[in-house]
Structure formats: structure tokens, C-alpha cells
Amino acid sequence: MSSGAFIARVKNGLWYENPGLVQLLGLCPLLAVTATFVNGLGLGLATLCVLVASNALVSASRRWLIQEIRIPVYVLIIASLVTCTELVFKAWFPALDRSLGIFIPLIVTNCAIVARAELYASRNPVTASMLDGLVMGCGFALLLMTIGAFREILGQGTLFSGMEMLTGGEPVRGIVFVDGGWLLAVLPPGAFFSLALAIAGKNAIDARRRKRRQDTMRRPGRVAGRLDQS
Amino acid sequence: MSVSPELKSGLTLALIAGVCTALVAATWQLTAGRIADNQQAWLEQSLAPALSGLFYDSGVTESIITIPAPHDLPGNADAIVYRVYAEAEPVAALFVVNARNGYAGPIRLLIGINTDGVVTGVLVLQHHETPGLGDRVESGKSDWLLQFNGHSLTDPEPAGWAIKRDGGTFDQLTGASVTPRAIIKAIRKTLEYFAAHADEIFAAPAESPEEVEP
């Protein structure tokens, strides 16, 4: 893979084809767990691991994949990987596992994963597929963390509270801005509002870029050129 | 010899299923011990608030007995008792009972009582009370349950085992009186049962004797 293609892949995963922001895949866990930053980070990391591993396995087995059985094969691979991830979380991050609850096993239903298997991993070599899983997973995890941080600051007035669930050690309250907060932000409606704001923000940035590009194309020289033709 | 496409699909699926099963089995082998330890530690940790102010050196869940229904404890279901020891001497018993007369179904309580018959802590394990009203009895949501620590059958007198509105000594919860009444009644009944049966409780053989510390 050339460096140009590599950069294009990274940009796609993080921005232009971001699974959460653009493809709107995997919204169920995204909306449900992002009440705090550490929850977003935990689920983001778990999803990232599953995505990289499932892309690798699907890509490695793509030569033997027969059209009719490809979906059951994806399901088998993804379900096993999620089960492994769940066991690893229970063994090494038990507090985070309790906090994320059912959403670790539910990664299996995250359509972002089966979408990458079908659209990319089943027709590309192993390293490229793993890179795709990595950038797509990072794009999803970054979105989870952004929304988690946003809702935590608004809803609890803190950031990074509960980081001990990942790092071990004493419970931490994180950075405290104010005591208490706007309860709605941590309730389910807050999740929808935050996601809507994130999507609107991305669209606004894209629109501004597009406008700037059009402006640079209408430089005086070009306008003059067109005038000459007419 | 050519293989039919159906057979080929089936064999491929079986092979991949085998690989996936092996993967999960290997992960399970690696993590099973740690997961069991974590769960035990979590259980001990979450039961500890019911033993406030006590010294004990046995595991909280090492010595369990079941008191089959019908019994004089609150609730109709079998009650579970965890016995806690310090240097092989009994120091407290934890009762898992169901308080009837909750606002919405039974309230599952864990009540810690030391050998002097004094409450060492009460936890709500499970309930269906109204969110925002009755559910404030939960330990994470208010300190309401802590007020029972240090009380016994004689302190206050039996008539005092009620909320203040009913002429008792315990705080109520604004907007919810059914839930506190049910819990106070359950604690008093458990204290009465313990006063009458303490010796039997500590004399009964544990249900998992191999786990009891010598």
C-alpha cells in the first residue's frame, strides 16, 4: 500500500467514513454507554480490538469463503472474538466490565464490525484489513470519547472520573469543574443531543472547507480566463 | 473426485466453527481463575458495609446456612445466613431476607447483626420501589440505611422501631413511607429471630464445610 493510499485510509476512518458520525453504525452502544469519558474509552477500546481481530480473521479466511456462507462465517468469527474480549475484560478490568454491563457482549451486534468485514476485509489483504479495522475502530472510539467527555462535563461537572477502572488503584473523581451538573446530559436524551451536535459540527466543518475550496477556485486569474473565452 | 458445493460449504463452516471454539476455549482457560477471584472479591467487598465496625478474619461468604421456609424471619422464601468469624469465634451473622409490604413487591435486604444483637449494617440488595421516591433507601442514593447501625431490640424500645411519623425514632423519607415501614419491620423481625435462635444459627453445620476456615 502506497503512503498516499495509507493516508487516505486513515482520513476515511477518522473523518470521511467515520462509523459513528457518517455511517451512523453502532449507535446503540454509542448512545447507551457514553455517560462518562471512561465508559466511552472502555467500550471504544473493546470495539477497536474486536474490529482489528475480526478484520484480520475474515481477511485471512477470504480465499475459502464461499458466497453463500460468508455471513454465518462473519457471525461465528465476530461472536467468538466478542466472547474472548468479554472474558478478558472480566478478568483484568472487572470494574469497567460492571460499568459497561451488557454492552460488552452487545459489541457482537455492532453493525460497524460486520460492515467492515463485508465491505473491506473480505476483499483485501490481511495487513490492509487490519489497518482498516484500526482506523475505523479509532474513529469510533474517538467519537465515543468525545461524546463521553462532553456529557460527563455537562452532566457531572467532572472529566476522567472513574479512571481507576482502567488503571487500577484508588477510585478517582477526575478533574472537577463544578459539583453536580445538568442531569439531562447523562440521561438518554442527552446522548441524542450530543450525537446530533457532533454530527452537526462535522457537517459544518465540511461545509466551510468546501466553501473555501470553491473560493480558491474562483481566483481572479480564472475568472479572467473565463471572460476571455466569452 | 469432486466435492459437492454443499459439502464444501458445510466443511468450511465446521472448520471455522472449530477454530473459533478453540479460540474461546483457550481464552476461557487463561481467564477463568482470575474471573472467579474477581467475582469473589467483588462479593466480599459489596457485603463489607453490612459489617461496619467489626473485626473479622474469615471470608464473608465462607460459612453459609439456609433457613428453609416457613420460618419467623421476614418473607416467605428460604432465608440465607452468612456467618462471620474472628479467630474461629463467631462475631456476626448476615441475613438475606425479603421485606414484604414494599410499595411494589418484596424488598431483598441484607441485614448484619453482631453476636450482641446489634445491627452492624443494612443493605438493599433488590427492590422495585418507585424511582425518585422509595428507591432513595438504596445505599448509593442516600444515607437513610445507615441510621440503623448500632441499634438493637432494646435500643430503641420495640415501640420506637417505626418512622417518626408513626411515633418511632427513625427518619422517614419525604414522599415515601411505605418503603421505610417495610424495611424497619423487617429489621425488627430479623433481630427478634436472631435473639431467639442465635445459638442454633452458629451451631448449624455450614453447607460448604470444606470452605470453612479451621
Side-chain angles (χ1 to χ4, degrees):
Chain A
M1 187 186 287
S2 72
S3 67
F6 175 81
I7 290 167
R9 210 72 313 272
V10 173
K11 277 186 178 169
N12 268 345
L14 297 185
W15 192 261
Y16 297 110
E17 287 176 21
N18 185 301
L21 272 181
V22 181
Q23 306 176 50
L24 299 181
L25 294 175
L27 291 193
C28 158
L30 190 152
L31 294 169
V33 304
T34 52
T36 62
F37 175 83
V38 68
N39 273 5
L41 176 63
L43 190 79
L45 284 179
T47 312
L48 174 69
C49 297
V50 173
L51 199 47
V52 173
S54 88
N55 267 9
L57 286 184
V58 168
S59 174
S61 56
R62 71 186 188 283
R63 296 200 195 290
W64 305 291
L65 275 193
I66 303 154
Q67 187 66 12
E68 290 77 20
I69 58 159
R70 69 187 198 290
I71 302 285
V73 169
Y74 300 157
V75 171
L76 267 175
I77 290 178
I78 296 170
S80 328
L81 288 171
V82 170
T83 310
C84 294
T85 310
E86 190 194 354
L87 291 173
V88 168
F89 263 67
K90 275 192 195 308
W92 278 280
F93 311 111
L96 195 61
D97 178 68
R98 274 191 297 277
S99 162
L100 292 173
I102 187 69
F103 291 100
I104 295 277
L106 274 185
I107 292 174
V108 82
T109 65
N110 188 330
C111 10
I113 296 170
V114 94
R116 290 332 288 173
E118 169 76 3
L119 291 176
Y120 198 90
S122 60
R123 46 196 81 163
N124 285 285
V126 174
T127 44
S129 299
M130 286 176 76
L131 176 74
D132 179 77
L134 186 71
V135 292
M136 286 290 163
C138 284
F140 190 66
L142 282 174
L143 180 67
L144 281 172
M145 286 187 266
T146 312
I147 294 185
F150 180 72
R151 290 177 68 193
E152 189 182 337
I153 292 172
L154 274 187
Q156 298 183 13
T158 62
L159 187 60
F160 307 132
S161 72
M163 281 303 274
E164 84 281 353
M165 293 194 284
L166 268 177
T167 55
E170 290 296 300
V172 287
R173 266 202 82 192
I175 307 166
V176 181
F177 299 105
V178 282
D179 258 330
W182 187 40
L183 188 63
L184 187 71
V186 285
L187 293 177
F192 284 99
F193 292 143
S194 313
L195 179 67
L197 283 177
I199 296 174
K202 181 195 175 287
N203 288 349
I205 293 171
D206 282 350
R208 244 179 73 189
R209 279 178 159 184
R210 215 174 302 129
K211 194 157 166 285
R212 200 177 299 159
R213 206 172 302 142
Q214 283 169 355
D215 286 348
T216 48
M217 277 161 72
R218 278 196 220 107
R219 272 187 204 138
R222 293 213 178 185
V223 176
R226 256 183 240 160
L227 281 175
D228 288 346
Q229 275 177 356
S230 65
Chain B
M1 191 187 90
S2 71
V3 184
S4 76
E6 291 85 0
L7 187 62
K8 203 179 158 207
S9 306
L11 285 176
T12 314
L13 260 183
L15 180 74
I16 291 178
V19 172
C20 289
T21 312
L23 187 70
V24 173
T27 316
W28 171 249
Q29 279 294 326
L30 280 173
T31 54
R34 280 192 79 101
I35 292 175
D37 290 350
N38 285 340
Q39 279 170 347
Q40 186 61 29
W42 170 244
L43 189 63
E44 300 268 336
Q45 193 190 328
S46 47
L47 296 183
L51 292 164
S52 58
L54 274 184
F55 170 78
Y56 56 97
D57 55 12
S58 69
V60 180
T61 54
E62 276 170 8
S63 177
I64 304 172
I65 57 169
T66 305
I67 300 173
H71 47 60
D72 293 332
L73 282 162
N76 300 324
D78 293 355
I80 299 164
V81 184
Y82 300 110
R83 298 175 298 182
V84 184
Y85 298 84
E87 288 163 356
E89 286 295 313
V91 290
L94 295 177
F95 290 82
V96 180
V97 296
N98 288 312
R100 278 174 294 181
N101 316 323
Y103 193 75
I107 305 167
R108 205 161 167 77
L109 294 173
L110 181 89
I111 302 171
I113 303 172
N114 72 12
T115 37
D116 299 327
V118 175
V119 176
T120 56
V122 182
L123 298 176
V124 170
L125 300 179
Q126 200 182 45
H127 71 83
H128 308 280
E129 302 303 295
T130 320
L133 295 173
D135 77 334
R136 280 174 296 154
V137 297
E138 277 178 38
S139 19
K141 295 191 173 151
S142 78
D143 291 341
W144 187 81
L145 280 174
L146 294 178
Q147 63 177 325
F148 300 103
N149 292 7
H151 288 285
S152 64
L153 266 188
T154 51
D155 167 34
E157 294 294 314
W161 277 92
I163 53 176
K164 283 176 181 157
R165 184 189 297 165
D166 300 344
T169 53
F170 295 109
D171 288 337
Q172 49 233 346
L173 285 167
T174 315
S177 45
V178 175
T179 315
R181 275 187 196 126
I183 292 177
I184 291 173
K185 199 176 161 201
I187 298 173
R188 207 194 66 207
K189 269 189 101 173
T190 309
L191 282 169
E192 283 166 358
Y193 183 90
F194 184 77
H197 300 278
D199 293 343
E200 295 165 42
I201 288 170
F202 288 112
E207 272 156 27
S208 42
E210 73 277 5
E211 287 177 6
V212 182
E213 285 188 354

